[in-house]
Structures are given as C-alpha cells and as structure tokens.
Amino acid sequence: MRLNLLMLCLSALLYAVNALNTDGVALLSLLRHWTFVPHPINSSWNASDSTPCSWLGVQCDNNHNANFLNLSGHSISGPLGPEIAHLSHLQTLDLTFNNFSGKIPPELGNCSKLENLNLSDNSISGQIPDSLRNLLNLVSFSVMDNMLTGQIPEFLFQLQHFEYLLLSNNYLTGPIPINVGNSTEILMLYLDNNQLSGRIPPSIGNCSKLVELLLDYNQLHGVFPESLNNLQSVVYLSVNNSGLEGTIPLLGSSRCGIPVSLRKIPGLENQLEMLLMASNQFQGGIPLDIGRCTTLARLHLDGNNLTGPLPDLTSISNLTYMDISENNFRGEIPSSLGNFINLTVLILSHNKFSGHIPFELGNLNLLYGLNLSANGLTGEIPPEIGKLKMLQSLDISVNNLTGKIDVLEDHSSLVALYFIQFLFWSSSRHIAELAPFFSFIILGQSWLMCQMSSITWAELFQM
C-alpha cells in the first residue's frame, strides 16, 4: 500500500516537473484562435515542453517567463485572442507582416510590462482600445498599415516613456490630440495617410526631441503653428497633400550652418535631411536658411503657391532630389544648381523661369531626370546637356527654345524625350539616329507616344 502511494506521489511530482508553464499554455491558447499557422510554428510549439523558451519566436527571462514574442512575417491569420493577457512578463510583442484580423484585444492592456508593441502590416480593425493606457512602460507603439478607425486617443501622449508612435496608413479620423506636446521624449511621430482633420496643435512645439514628423495625406487645414520652429532636431518632415497653408517653417534650418566638427555636441547632432511639403497652399519664398542645409537630401515643394527667385542654394551639396514644380518661381534658373553634383532628379516645370538653360547643369553627372517644361525659357539646348550620360528623361516642352537637337544624338541612355512647342531644326536623319534609344518621343502640340518596336519613324512623321 505504501509502495503504491509512493509511486503515485512520484508520478504526480514528475508530471508537475514536465508540465508546460502558464506562459506556454497561454501561447497555445492563442494559437487555437489562428486560422492559419505555418508549419515551423506548429512543429516548434510543443505542449510536451515544460517552458516555451525554445519555441520559434519566443524568448524568456531567467525565470522562464516569456518576455519576447516575435512572429513577424509568418503569414499567420486570425484574431490575436484575449489570452494575450496571461503573458504578463511580455516586454516586446512583434506581430508585423501577418494577416491578423479583428480588433486589438482590450486584454492587451494587462501586459503592463510591455515596452515595444508592433502590430503593423496586418488587417486589424476597430479602435485603439482604452485599456492600452495601462501600458505605462510603453516606448514604441506601431500599428501602421492596418484598418483602424476612430480617433487618436489622448492617453497615448500621457505615457512618459513614449518615443515612437507610428499610426500611418489607417482610417483614423478627428483632430491631432491637443496634448501631443506632452510627449516630450517622442522621436518619431507618423500620422500620415489617415483622415485626420483640424489644425496642427501648437503644443507640438514642446516635442523638442522630435526627429521625424509625417502628416502627409490627411485633411488638415490652417497654417503651421509658430511653435513648430522649436523642433530643432527634425531630420525628416513630410506634410505632402495635407491642406496646409502659410509659409515654409524654419524648423532646424537655422542651425544648418553649424560646422561638422561641432555636430558631436549633444543637441546639435541632427540636421534637416528631407523636407517634403508638396501639394499644399504654402506661399512666400524658400527661407534663406534652408539654402545652408548641407545635409538636405530631398526637397519637395511642388504644387504650392511659392513665389520669388530661388535663393542661394549652393551649400546643399548632398541634395539628390529636387522638385519645385507647379509654383510661381521666376527669374533665371540659377547656374549654382550645377554644383549639386549628387542630384539625380531636378524638376522645375510649370513655373515662370526665364532666360537660358544654364550650361552648368551639364555638371550633374548623376542626373537621370530633368524637367524644365512649361516655363519661359529661351535660347538653345546647351551642348553640355548632351554629355549627361545617366540622363533617361528630358522634358523641355512648352518653352520658347530654338536651335538644334543634334546635341543629343550621341545620347544612348535617354528613353523619354519631350519637345512640345520647341522650335527646333534638324534633318530627319539626325532625329532618326536617336530612334533606337527612346521608349517614346513627343514632338508636337499633342502627346504622340510611340513604342519604337512597333512604329517606324517614317510613320511618325506622317501622323
């Protein structure tokens, strides 16, 4: 009798030793909600294990508690499941690039130790649950590329450790919360591609550590608040197509002349690199300080009501892409643009530029796109343009240019050429010699797009 009792106790003890701990049970419960689970997860998540610490995507602390769950990119389908609440030691949850659906479970707010929560690139719908206000240790919250609705909760900007809020590409509505400035530690704020409305709250100027601010493609209105110029650490500002007006803010451009040797000083490391403000209603000119931003790489100011001549931009030596089309800039195209040796695309179309095309543009050896159309340019095409061996698209249409196009006849990289309202003269032989190098050419008052493999040049001239 005593022997049987001893064996029973030993069996119970052995079972207790081998039984899966509560975190493992919680993970298996989550798995049962999912409608598709790839084989590597199914084969790895084994109920006979004592802990989930060796399972795919799971890491544990010294006490065998799951504190890290990364299932990114496994094409998992189905709802997340309320059992997530039982993973009380979780610090990082990364479920990006899957097919999770349904709502963010309110029970997620019980994971009070969470620091990094990333649910981006799924099909999650509904609103951001109020229970997430309990995640007081949250540093990063990313739900980009989902189908979230409702307003941005104000409590997100009351989290003291918050550094990254990425809400891009959802269906969020309403205003940007007026307490956004409470997030004084925030570094990245992505609110682009939603349906946000109203004005940018002045309190945003309190986010003095902000490095990246994306507000593109919303339904905002009004001017930039003056406080935005307090954001001296901004590297990336993008407000394309957001309904904004007023003048271009200085942001961190007032520090753009700081020598490289001083940029190691705390607070001076970051300088403006991308300024994207296309398709708004901005007025005035380009601030002179922006012309001193040696770190600026992309400048998109197209589709606004900007005026005046271009300021001195010679210091922007790292500029790779510049689009200031569809504005009211006037005067001559500055010859100093030829100093932008890293430039790959230059778009100055639909302005009021006059004078000749500066021959200095021939110094832009990396240029593959040049659009000077719809201005008041005169004179001939500089022969230096024909030396741009990387150039693939050239649009000089709707100007008052004259002269020869023979300067381009040795240009083997061009695939698109636009000559609308260009008074050129050259023999048909010279034009025909260019034929093998173009995908299409536009010669007249209308678009004549011709695939060179299916139409002859003789047929083109008969059109």
Side-chain angles (χ1 to χ4, degrees), residues 256-459:
C256 282
I258 294 175
V260 175
S261 58
L262 298 180
R263 293 179 194 163
K264 296 180 180 180
I265 299 176
L268 299 181
E269 308 97 329
N270 299 328
Q271 293 197 25
L272 195 61
E273 295 180 9
M274 288 188 279
L275 183 58
L276 314 182
M277 306 179 66
S279 301
N280 285 286
Q281 301 176 43
F282 292 114
Q283 300 175 340
I286 300 176
L288 293 175
D289 284 336
I290 289 180
R292 300 189 296 120
C293 287
T294 57
T295 54
L296 193 63
R298 295 184 73 95
L299 180 62
H300 295 236
L301 302 177
D302 46 300
N304 283 287
N305 298 313
L306 300 172
T307 58
L310 291 184
D312 183 7
L313 302 174
T314 52
S315 297
I316 314 180
S317 56
N318 289 312
L319 197 66
T320 61
Y321 195 110
M322 178 176 178
D323 187 350
I324 59 170
S325 61
E326 298 183 56
N327 282 286
N328 294 302
F329 290 113
R330 54 181 171 79
E332 295 187 349
I333 296 175
S335 60
S336 59
L337 293 183
N339 296 328
F340 298 171
I341 57 174
N342 294 306
L343 205 60
T344 59
V345 174
L346 177 61
I347 306 176
L348 308 181
S349 59
H350 292 85
N351 279 287
K352 297 179 180 179
F353 289 115
S354 57
H356 293 190
I357 299 174
F359 70 86
E360 288 85 355
L361 296 184
N363 297 330
L364 307 179
N365 293 323
L366 299 180
L367 201 67
Y368 63 77
L370 177 60
N371 190 340
L372 307 178
S373 65
N375 281 287
L377 301 175
T378 57
E380 300 183 1
I381 305 174
E384 289 79 6
I385 300 296
K387 298 177 183 179
L388 297 175
K389 300 303 181 183
M390 301 291 290
L391 195 62
Q392 298 180 25
S393 176
L394 173 63
D395 190 345
I396 50 177
S397 62
V398 196
N399 281 291
N400 297 310
L401 298 169
T402 60
K404 301 180 179 181
I405 62 169
D406 298 24
V407 296
L408 302 175
E409 65 181 3
D410 189 34
H411 212 301
S412 59
S413 61
L414 271 173
V415 295
L417 184 60
Y418 304 77
F419 277 142
I420 299 175
Q421 291 184 4
F422 172 47
L423 303 178
F424 64 89
W425 67 270
S426 184
S427 69
S428 59
R429 180 187 63 81
H430 283 140
I431 299 175
E433 286 172 353
L434 298 177
F437 308 127
F438 295 102
S439 295
F440 57 85
I441 185 169
I442 302 173
L443 295 173
Q445 296 290 333
S446 60
W447 289 60
L448 303 178
M449 304 184 68
C450 309
Q451 294 296 328
M452 295 310 165
S453 60
S454 61
I455 189 169
T456 67
W457 282 87
E459 292 172 328

Side-chain angles (χ1 to χ4, degrees), residues 147-192:
M147 299 184 293
L148 295 175
T149 56
Q151 298 191 10
I152 300 174
E154 289 189 3
F155 70 77
L156 289 174
F157 301 103
Q158 295 169 353
L159 302 175
Q160 295 182 359
H161 306 290
F162 222 24
E163 295 182 2
Y164 304 93
L165 178 59
L166 313 179
L167 305 179
S168 306
N169 298 304
N170 281 285
Y171 300 99
L172 298 171
T173 56
I176 299 172
I178 58 174
N179 68 333
V180 61
N182 290 351
S183 291
T184 56
E185 299 298 315
I186 198 162
L187 301 175
M188 295 172 58
L189 180 58
Y190 287 12
L191 306 180
D192 55 299

Side-chain angles (χ1 to χ4, degrees), residues 168-169 176 187-194 196 200 204 210-220 224 228 231 233-244 248-249 251-252 272-280 282 296 298-302 304:
S168 306
N169 298 304
I176 299 172
L187 301 175
M188 295 172 58
L189 180 58
Y190 287 12
L191 306 180
D192 55 299
N193 288 279
N194 280 286
L196 302 177
I200 300 174
I204 199 170
L210 198 60
V211 175
E212 298 186 10
L213 175 60
L214 276 61
L215 303 176
D216 310 58
Y217 297 96
N218 279 293
Q219 300 167 15
L220 305 173
F224 271 129
L228 204 68
L231 305 182
S233 296
V234 168
V235 170
Y236 182 10
L237 173 67
S238 187
V239 294
N240 294 327
N241 205 349
S242 294
L244 298 171
I248 298 174
L251 296 170
L272 195 61
E273 295 180 9
M274 288 188 279
L275 183 58
L276 314 182
M277 306 179 66
S279 301
N280 285 286
F282 292 114
L296 193 63
R298 295 184 73 95
L299 180 62
H300 295 236
L301 302 177
D302 46 300
N304 283 287

Side-chain angles (χ1 to χ4, degrees), residues 76-106:
I76 301 170
S77 299
L80 179 52
E83 291 84 359
I84 192 70
H86 299 301
L87 300 176
S88 58
H89 293 84
L90 207 58
Q91 294 178 343
T92 293
L93 176 61
D94 187 347
L95 302 179
T96 56
F97 297 103
N98 284 290
N99 296 310
F100 283 106
S101 57
K103 298 180 179 181
I104 299 174

